[in-house]
Amino acid sequence: MKIALGTDHAGIRLKEEIVEVIRGLGHEVEDLGCGCSDSVDYPDYALPVCEKVVSGEADRGILICGTGIGMSIAANKVPGIRCALTHDVFSAKATREHNDSNVIALGERVVGPGLAAEIVSAWLTTDFSHGERHVGRVNKIKAIEERYLKN
């Protein structure tokens, strides 16, 4: 898979750890920044990652900021993105199995590198269940999105 990765200044250190995890699993990484510790605005990095995912240029996306909250909010404004804020392995697996998430957000100030590596690994190796109830729920999410795109 090709994974698009974006961080703000508060996610720089964790990003390097995550890149190694992704590559270690045999996936390609496209790093969309940021590459500095100067204060930057997280939506500026969430958007290009999400655009890569919705266009099909990337299979999934990973976003990192201080808490993961801002990135997840920004990501979920992009039609077609199902971004989950994940701070534990159970949630990472569940969001793939049940919600078919295509982006996750992590908080560098919330999770350390070891846990982040486990979360990313679990998320990247877990498939959508395609269970009838989960497909139906994901379709309802898509219907909400379509309803508001029409207005």
Side-chain angles (χ1 to χ4, degrees):
M1 284 190 289
K2 184 174 185 179
I3 311 301
L5 180 62
T7 68
D8 70 0
H9 59 282
I12 291 292
R13 291 178 303 197
L14 190 57
K15 176 173 75 169
E16 296 311 316
E17 303 281 340
I18 297 307
V19 166
E20 293 307 313
V21 171
I22 296 166
R23 288 185 178 144
L25 291 169
H27 304 300
E28 181 184 347
V29 178
E30 183 171 1
D31 184 349
L32 298 170
C34 98
C36 66
S37 58
D38 298 334
S39 182
V40 298
D41 298 328
Y42 55 82
D44 295 340
Y45 297 91
L47 182 59
V49 167
C50 293
E51 287 176 334
K52 292 278 184 180
V53 173
V54 248
S55 73
E57 294 176 60
D59 299 292
R60 296 194 201 160
I62 298 174
L63 300 168
I64 309 167
C65 65
T67 63
I69 297 168
M71 285 288 202
S72 64
I73 292 170
N76 281 313
K77 298 298 179 188
V78 178
I81 293 299
R82 288 179 305 284
C83 178
L85 176 59
T86 52
H87 290 148
D88 60 81
V89 174
F90 175 80
S91 297
K93 288 180 180 180
T95 193
R96 282 292 309 135
E97 290 174 345
H98 298 188
N99 311 116
D100 197 19
S101 62
N102 50 12
V103 176
I104 56 168
L106 300 166
E108 181 176 303
R109 296 175 183 151
V110 180
V111 298
L115 178 55
E118 290 179 38
I119 291 167
V120 169
S121 181
W123 187 70
L124 289 174
T125 59
T126 301
D127 293 323
F128 181 47
S129 73
H130 293 282
E132 186 177 335
R133 66 184 174 149
H134 301 304
V135 169
R137 291 169 183 161
V138 169
N139 286 338
K140 285 184 178 189
I141 292 169
K142 291 176 183 177
I144 292 169
E145 192 172 70
E146 289 172 17
R147 174 181 172 185
Y148 284 92
L149 285 174
K150 291 178 184 175
N151 294 331

